[in-house]
Amino acid sequence: PASFEPRSWTADPRVVLVHERSRLGPTRAMIEGVARARGEYVARLDAGDRMLPLRLSEQVARLRAQPTAPLVGTATSRITPEGEPAGNIRMPSGDDVRRHLVLFNCIPHSSVMLRRSALEEVGGYDESLEQMEDYDLILRLSVLGPVPVLTSLLTEYRIHPGQLSRGATPYGLHIQRI
């Protein structure tokens, strides 16, 4: 949106930005980021993606209202590499989308806020997975309780040619593990 201020949220003292000198890879970077975070909730956002100003407060409100939910996602739209709108991602929303998770990963990882306690209970991200570590984690978390997805469009997912998920094949270790 035109009113979106890039990275204005970085000034919030509750936000922890983690920069590593060397490339860790996505899974290891998430593990390191979670290890350094101190809050009750952990919000995900990939570098190229964006969140709208109300995202965090709406997700915290939902997790407080739905105490058995281990995580909450948001409705998500696509943006081009230049940040222009590229349509919404069709996905289920509501108080519990677990039945859809059996068929596909219906929750964009950049839209997720997790309870730290739930993340610790399931053992966090599986470092042995080079792809689909987000889907694996969401499936393991979904065993703990309902998985709500907010209907509000609060996350913008950047589509670009270098995305790891574009290279995910329908076979291999990551599929067998998940």
Side-chain angles (χ1 to χ4, degrees):
S3 63
F4 179 80
E5 290 185 41
R7 302 190 185 268
S8 58
W9 48 269
T10 61
D12 188 318
R14 299 168 296 175
V15 174
V16 176
L17 293 176
V18 177
H19 299 281
E20 293 290 334
R21 292 178 189 240
S22 62
R23 297 190 136 200
L24 301 176
T27 306
R28 188 75 211 147
M30 289 182 278
I31 291 168
E32 289 295 321
V34 167
R36 293 182 189 180
R38 297 290 170 246
E40 178 181 354
Y41 306 115
V42 177
R44 285 279 302 119
L45 187 69
D46 289 330
D49 300 342
R50 301 188 299 205
M51 66 179 173
L52 285 102
L54 295 176
R55 179 186 153 192
L56 298 178
S57 62
E58 287 194 25
Q59 287 183 300
V60 167
R62 173 52 70 91
L63 288 172
R64 287 181 178 157
Q66 203 168 347
T68 58
L71 67 102
V72 60
T74 74
T76 304
S77 62
R78 290 182 184 91
I79 54 175
T80 66
E82 298 74 33
E84 297 300 318
N88 295 342
I89 296 176
R90 290 187 52 162
M91 56 189 275
S93 61
D95 291 335
D96 191 0
V97 301
R98 286 183 291 182
R99 67 186 176 99
H100 300 281
L101 286 169
V102 174
L103 303 174
F104 69 106
N105 185 4
C106 61
I107 306 172
H109 202 200
S110 271
S111 81
V112 168
M113 179 180 279
L114 314 153
R115 288 184 197 280
R116 172 182 293 287
S117 59
L119 187 62
E120 290 170 356
E121 186 173 340
V122 300
Y125 291 96
D126 183 342
E127 192 173 0
S128 71
L129 292 174
E130 292 182 23
Q131 290 180 311
M132 301 178 75
E133 70 288 335
D134 55 338
Y135 189 25
D136 171 71
L137 178 65
I138 289 169
L139 286 172
R140 288 186 286 121
L141 287 166
S142 72
V143 173
L144 301 179
V147 176
V149 173
L150 304 176
T151 57
S152 304
L153 281 166
L154 298 171
T155 307
E156 296 177 331
Y157 179 79
R158 192 175 308 268
I159 304 298
H160 58 86
Q163 288 171 301
L164 288 175
S165 60
R166 288 193 180 270
T169 57
Y171 49 84
L173 177 62
H174 58 285
I175 294 295
Q176 292 170 13
R177 293 281 302 277
I178 292 170

